[in-house]
């Protein structure tokens, strides 16, 4: 692995953008803060100096307007990358994204294409509250014509962003900011990770766990603990919910008979709902137990941490759900579960990373 | 803040004497400085957007409003909330995430409201506040009152389409709305020149056949005078006004620190604005008029300091909301 470096997801995304801009002069970046000193949590750092203001374009606060501008430019063959510091701000651009980005290829009978990438960041933590921390992956996933990618590891995040920028269709990339801190080995140079559906991250035959984004990290932690109790989880990263390709999940459930889905959004009407439906449609007879979905409860996200103690799924809630699905007696899992619980209780529950000090 | 006791609905927000308004500005300053000082304790676990340096706009505008008039604010809402008479303890408890907070801890610092004093809402999404204020003005008129609605927002907010949608609607229906633009020259870490063409901001109102005024936002009396004319227009059924007040945010966009070193603005620029401190300017005017001396200033600071300390103690010691209340109020 001589050609890899240890870096976090934020740095990997920055590197991907840099490589794409160096390679293809049509690629340009638009967003509020892309050219400011904070550089979107570092993900655009140095790009202004390297490529100039014409390609690292600071935007007025006009999300729907500049998204339309990006689509117009994309129709003429430019390759815009839009970045929003919060998913919540991108809501103002839904009109352009849903009505134009998603439909223009279709409505033009295949003549037009919209090579647009929109990066959006989920702002969980530090009391961001109801309108600054939303995970709305499912909202984007439900629109045919938009692709959706949810990166988790640094190596893949880099390749997925490059693939998204190369893609001739509009790609939404939703980054959970707790994932930005996740480090991993990242190869040098230009490479892509295809945007073609889920992939297996851990092999097992007892229970199928499908997770996305930050919840994949929680699920992998859970899988380690489950393994200590003799339960082997088949862990699948639903990194690309759109295009929707559930086959790997369906096949896994055919082997395990048990399905647990976790994503970062609301439990109801979420990505898990679509997966459970697909499994029910295609492999109902394989299910040994009713499938389980974990996700956010049915209310907005309060700011105060006091109301968030049971809000987000954790490795512990994943362990509990998986153990029950796999018929593991409580005594068998109690020891390793408790050890993990002690470990987790040492960390504040409202920060993306132990080094985080607020305020945004 | 002492409230005047003139009859019910027509009561002003607070004490509009020169000293009363100075006191209101100083109070906001001291509260926000206390937040800045204690933020590092990591107990206020939500974003905070301080208005230090912008107090004259909040106090000058609210001085011309009645308690029953409505205010809708943004992420930077502390000063507006306090100037409109919002309860200090409820604000501090909200920032500390406590049950006694104005939102019960659900909103944090960007959602401050106090229904008792017409502080209707604060909204953290840029420009989201404007049409809400237009709607409040519509309701006030439908109710047959001569009330007005004011919405505060920054120079960045006027880049959103909804600014124009709101002005057009308000002008069309001659609604009693005050669009209060606090031009502090920056949207986060990006200066106006990188976001907008150079033109007088007040001209934006012309496109909607709306009245507009520009004034020095650090001059309390100038803010009051412009606001008074806008309120009179609104109450008389003559429609909305865009008020443009030039001012400056002293500390970082979000958080307690100074950030003149990170490269988007200069220390010299900051020092220039600091020299024109709105609180100090108001104090100087009072001193010149013989209304303030050192002893009175010291007494004021002592009194306000005690109030602020008490509010922080209250907020820090207040209980968190009960975990099982989290599901309440999703629907009625
Ligand atoms: C729709 C939307 N886009 C972006 C943001 C992020 N944001 C929060 S405050 C802010 C700057 C606002 O500038 P301005 O309106 O001038 O107000 P100021 O902060 O200067 O008081 C931005 C871009 C947001 N909250 N909402
Ligand atoms: Mg501003």
């Amino acid at each position: 692995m001589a050609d890899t470096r240890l870096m976090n997801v934020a740095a990997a995304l920055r590197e991907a953008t840099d490589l794409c801009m160096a390679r293809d002069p049509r690629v340009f970046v638009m967003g509020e803060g892309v050219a400011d000193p904070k550089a979107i949590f570092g993900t655009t750092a140095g790009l202004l100096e390297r490529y100039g203001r014409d390609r690292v374009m600071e935007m007025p606060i006009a999300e729907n307007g500049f998204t339309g501008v990006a689509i117009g430019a994309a129709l003429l063959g430019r390759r815009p990358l839009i970045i929003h510091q919060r998913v919540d701000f991108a809501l103002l651009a839904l009109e352009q994204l849903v009505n134009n980005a998603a439909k223009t290829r279709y409505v033009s009978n295949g003549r037009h294409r919209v090579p647009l990438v929109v990066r959006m960041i989920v702002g969980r933590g530090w009391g961001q509250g109801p309108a600054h921390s939303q995970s709305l992956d499912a909202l984007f996933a439900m629109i045919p014509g938009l692709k959706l990618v949810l990166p988790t590891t640094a190596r893949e995040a880099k390749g997925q962003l490059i693939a998204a920028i190369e893609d001739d269709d509009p790609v939404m990339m939703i980054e959970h900011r707790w994932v930005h801190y996740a480090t991993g080995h990242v190869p040098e140079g230009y490479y892509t990770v295809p945007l073609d559906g889920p992939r297996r991250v851990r092999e097992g035959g007892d229970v199928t766990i499908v997770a996305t984004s930050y919840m994949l990290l929680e699920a992998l932690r859970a899988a380690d603990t489950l393994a200590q109790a003799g339960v082997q989880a088949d862990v699948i990263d639903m990194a690309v919910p759109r295009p929707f390709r559930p086959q790997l999940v369906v096949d896994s459930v055919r082997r395990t008979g048990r399905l647990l889905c976790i994503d970062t959004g609301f439990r109801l009407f979420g990505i898990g709902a679509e997966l459970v439906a697909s499994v029910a449609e295609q492999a109902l007879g394989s299910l040994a137990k009713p499938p389980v979905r974990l996700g956010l409860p049915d209310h907005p996200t309060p700011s105060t941490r006091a109301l968030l103690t049971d809000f987000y799924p954790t490795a512990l809630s994943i362990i509990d759900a998986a153990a029950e699905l796999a018929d593991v007696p409580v005594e068998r899992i109690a020891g390793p579960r408790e050890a993990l619980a002690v470990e987790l209780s040492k960390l504040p529950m409202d920060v993306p990373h132990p080094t985080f000090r607020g305020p945004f | 803040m002492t409230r005047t006791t003139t009859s019910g609905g027509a009561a002003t927000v607070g004490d509009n004497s020169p000293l009363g308004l100075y006191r209101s500005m100083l109070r906001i300053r001291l509260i926000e400085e206390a937040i800045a000082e204690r933020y590092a304790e990591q107990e206020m676990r939500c974003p905070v957007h301080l208005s230090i340096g912008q107090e004259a706009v909040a106090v000058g505008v609210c001085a011309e409003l009645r308690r029953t008039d409505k205010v809708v604010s943004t992420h930077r809402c502390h000063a507006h909330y306090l100037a409109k008479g919002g309860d200090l303890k409820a604000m501090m408890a909200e920032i500390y995430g406590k049950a006694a907070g104005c939102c019960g801890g659900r909103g944090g610092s960007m959602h401050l409201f106090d229904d008792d004093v017409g502080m209707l809402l604060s909204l953290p999404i840029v420009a989201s506040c404007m049409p809400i204020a237009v709607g409040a003005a519509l309701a006030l008129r439908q109710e047959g009152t001569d009330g007005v609605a004011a919405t505060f927002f920054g120079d960045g907010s006027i880049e959103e389409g909804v600014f124009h949608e709101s002005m057009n609607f308000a002008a069309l229906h001659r609604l009693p709305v005050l669009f209060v633009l606090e031009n502090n020259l920056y949207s986060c870490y990006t200066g106006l020149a990188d976001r907008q063409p150079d033109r007088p901001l007040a001209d934006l109102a012309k496109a909607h056949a709306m009245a507009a005024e520009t004034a020095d936002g650090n001059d309390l009396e100038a803010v009051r005078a412009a606001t008074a004319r806008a309120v009179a227009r609104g109450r008389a059924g003559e429609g909305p006004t865009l008020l443009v007040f030039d001012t400056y945010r002293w500390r970082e966009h979000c958080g307690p620190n100074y950030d003149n070193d990170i490269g988007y603005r200069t220390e010299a620029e900051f020092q220039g604005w600091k020299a024109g401190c709105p609180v100090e300017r108001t104090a100087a005017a009072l001193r010149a008029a013989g209304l303030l001396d050192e002893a009175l200033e010291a007494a004021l600071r002592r009194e306000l300091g005690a109030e602020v300390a008490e509010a922080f103690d209250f907020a820090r010691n207040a209980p968190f909301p009960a975990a099982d209340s989290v599901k309440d109020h999703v629907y009625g």
Side-chain angles (χ1 to χ4, degrees):
Chain A
M1 300 257 278
D3 61 340
T4 72
R5 292 89 11 99
L6 205 56
M7 61 169 74
N8 67 23
V9 167
L13 292 168
R14 198 213 71 82
E15 184 167 281
T17 311
D18 195 357
L19 288 166
C20 290
M21 294 185 80
R23 188 180 174 112
D24 185 345
R26 299 169 303 171
V27 175
F28 69 104
V29 178
M30 304 166 87
E32 298 156 18
V34 296
D36 81 16
K38 308 253 167 151
I40 319 275
F41 312 107
T43 62
T44 62
L47 300 179
L48 173 69
E49 293 72 12
R50 184 136 188 223
Y51 301 103
R53 295 206 165 266
D54 291 344
R55 293 184 67 199
V56 182
M57 297 185 75
E58 187 60 42
M59 284 292 118
I61 315 186
E63 292 80 6
N64 202 43
F66 73 66
T67 302
V69 171
I71 294 169
L75 286 173
L76 269 72
R78 313 309 294 183
R79 304 190 84 85
L81 164 61
I82 287 176
I83 314 176
H84 296 286
Q85 301 196 13
R86 291 283 189 274
V87 176
D88 318 67
F89 309 158
L91 292 178
L92 278 75
L94 276 184
E95 191 281 313
Q96 285 291 341
L97 290 174
V98 174
N99 285 331
N100 297 339
K103 296 176 178 55
T104 295
R105 179 192 280 271
Y106 184 79
V107 175
S108 68
N109 213 12
R111 169 125 186 101
H112 285 314
R113 55 214 53 196
V114 182
L116 164 71
V117 179
V118 183
R119 288 182 44 212
M120 297 166 255
I121 296 160
V122 176
R124 172 177 167 183
W126 201 258
Q128 300 294 307
H132 268 57
S133 62
Q134 295 175 87
S135 268
L136 299 170
D137 311 357
L139 198 68
F140 294 91
M142 72 179 286
I143 307 298
L146 298 182
K147 294 184 178 178
L148 175 63
V149 54
L150 311 171
T152 305
T153 70
R155 186 191 71 78
E156 285 167 310
K158 177 178 166 185
Q160 285 162 336
L161 181 54
I162 294 174
I165 292 171
E166 275 189 1
D167 203 295
D168 273 344
D169 286 314
V171 180
M172 311 292 107
M173 175 177 267
I174 301 184
E175 302 152 22
H176 195 287
R177 71 161 164 176
W178 293 30
V179 154
H180 270 191
Y181 292 86
T183 50
H185 291 283
V186 176
E188 307 252 13
Y190 192 94
Y191 62 91
T192 60
V193 170
L195 308 181
D196 61 356
R199 72 187 175 103
R200 173 170 288 109
V201 244
R202 182 179 175 123
E203 184 117 31
D206 298 327
V207 54
T208 301
I209 301 181
V210 189
T212 61
S213 182
Y214 177 69
M215 286 303 153
L216 179 65
L217 300 179
E218 295 280 357
L220 287 170
R221 219 181 251 168
D224 281 339
T225 305
L226 287 162
Q228 290 170 39
V231 179
Q232 301 307 330
D234 207 36
V235 182
I236 293 172
D237 176 11
M238 196 68 195
V240 185
R242 277 281 190 176
F244 185 59
R245 305 229 168 104
Q247 205 54 50
L248 186 69
V249 176
V250 173
D251 290 344
S252 171
V253 175
R254 285 206 169 97
R255 285 190 293 112
T256 64
R258 291 154 165 93
L259 174 62
L260 171 60
C261 301
I262 314 106
D263 63 69
T264 63
F266 293 114
R267 196 178 77 90
L268 297 187
F269 298 94
I271 290 168
E274 199 54 44
L275 289 168
V276 168
S278 299
V279 166
E281 284 166 349
Q282 297 175 45
L284 185 64
S286 308
L287 284 168
K289 284 202 150 183
V292 175
R293 286 173 284 158
L294 296 180
L296 305 184
D298 219 12
H299 58 78
T301 311
S303 170
T304 180
R305 61 199 182 285
L307 293 178
L308 289 171
T309 43
D310 296 324
F311 187 70
Y312 295 105
T314 64
L316 298 176
S317 56
I318 295 169
I319 291 167
D320 295 343
E324 178 153 357
L325 264 174
D327 297 313
V328 179
V330 178
E331 318 80 74
R332 181 133 64 88
I333 194 86
R337 185 195 185 282
E338 184 51 28
L340 179 64
V342 169
E343 204 51 44
L344 294 179
S345 69
K346 291 179 191 155
L347 298 167
M349 46 94 65
D350 63 347
V351 292
H353 192 260
T355 57
F356 186 88
R357 290 281 175 280
F360 182 66
Chain B
M1 183 185 294
T2 47
R3 286 191 182 121
T4 53
T5 48
T6 43
S7 62
T12 56
V13 165
D15 173 2
N16 272 358
S17 70
L19 194 62
L21 294 177
Y22 171 62
R23 182 182 182 283
S24 179
M25 288 175 68
L26 181 62
R27 179 171 178 265
I28 293 169
R29 172 68 59 91
L30 296 179
I31 291 163
E32 293 215 295
E33 281 180 346
I35 293 172
E37 195 174 310
R38 301 188 88 147
Y39 197 74
E41 292 169 4
Q42 303 269 293
E43 289 301 318
M44 290 177 257
R45 293 172 91 87
C46 64
V48 288
H49 300 81
L50 303 178
S51 300
I52 295 174
Q54 305 186 196
E55 296 88 347
V57 179
V59 172
V61 169
C62 290
E64 301 306 319
L65 299 179
R66 298 174 187 157
R67 199 172 158 185
T68 48
D69 292 327
K70 305 299 181 195
V71 162
V72 189
S73 179
T74 61
H75 57 285
R76 199 175 305 287
C77 57
H78 303 174
H80 309 141
Y81 171 97
L82 292 167
K84 190 70 172 65
D87 186 273
L88 173 60
K89 286 182 179 166
M91 166 175 149
M92 289 319 308
E94 187 60 34
I95 296 175
Y96 276 92
K98 301 301 180 69
C102 55
C103 310
R106 290 157 182 244
S109 78
M110 302 191 285
H111 287 265
L112 300 183
F113 82 108
D114 187 339
D115 239 7
D116 292 341
V117 295
M119 183 69 205
L120 186 62
L121 276 182
S122 301
L123 298 168
I125 297 298
V126 165
S128 200
C129 53
M130 300 172 188
I132 306 292
V134 176
L138 178 65
L140 288 169
R141 201 178 52 209
Q142 286 174 339
E143 287 168 357
T145 75
D146 66 348
V148 304
T151 177
F152 291 91
F153 49 85
D155 49 293
S157 319
I158 65 175
E159 292 152 18
E160 294 283 10
V162 74
F163 174 53
H164 295 279
E165 298 173 35
S166 302
M167 285 199 294
N168 181 68
F169 187 99
L172 176 69
H173 294 286
R174 300 180 81 77
L175 291 173
V177 184
L178 274 57
F179 291 90
V180 184
L181 197 180
E182 284 182 77
N183 175 21
N184 63 11
L185 304 176
Y186 294 92
S187 168
C188 304
Y189 318 97
T190 305
L192 258 181
D194 290 325
R195 307 176 347 250
Q196 297 178 23
D198 186 18
R199 68 339 197 187
L201 298 180
D203 283 3
L204 293 165
K206 280 190 197 159
H208 304 283
M210 246 175 69
E213 285 201 47
T214 302
D216 177 349
N218 289 347
D219 178 341
L220 178 68
E221 289 312 317
V223 171
R224 284 191 69 185
T227 305
R229 289 186 286 270
V231 169
R233 269 192 291 275
R235 298 212 199 285
E238 290 165 16
T241 303
L242 174 64
L243 295 167
V244 181
F245 296 128
D246 298 325
T247 181
Y248 199 77
R249 148 175 72 74
W250 287 13
R251 305 217 179 202
E252 60 189 334
H253 164 69
C254 176
N257 302 308
Y258 291 98
D259 67 354
N260 303 315
D261 57 322
I262 69 171
Y264 74 104
R265 62 184 195 183
T266 62
E267 179 70 18
E269 180 183 280
F270 164 64
Q271 290 300 344
W273 284 92
K274 196 173 174 214
C277 171
V279 179
E280 179 45 36
R281 270 170 77 173
T282 307
L286 286 180
R287 281 193 294 267
L291 294 169
L292 184 69
D293 59 18
E294 263 176 42
L296 187 52
E297 171 84 24
L300 212 49
R301 284 180 180 266
R302 248 194 328 274
E303 177 209 337
L304 291 172
E307 187 200 0
V308 174
E310 190 195 332
F312 272 81
D313 282 349
F314 169 81
R316 287 155 52 87
N317 296 320
F320 281 108
D324 63 1
S325 67
V326 69
K327 290 189 161 54
D328 297 347
H329 310 305
V330 178
Y331 299 107

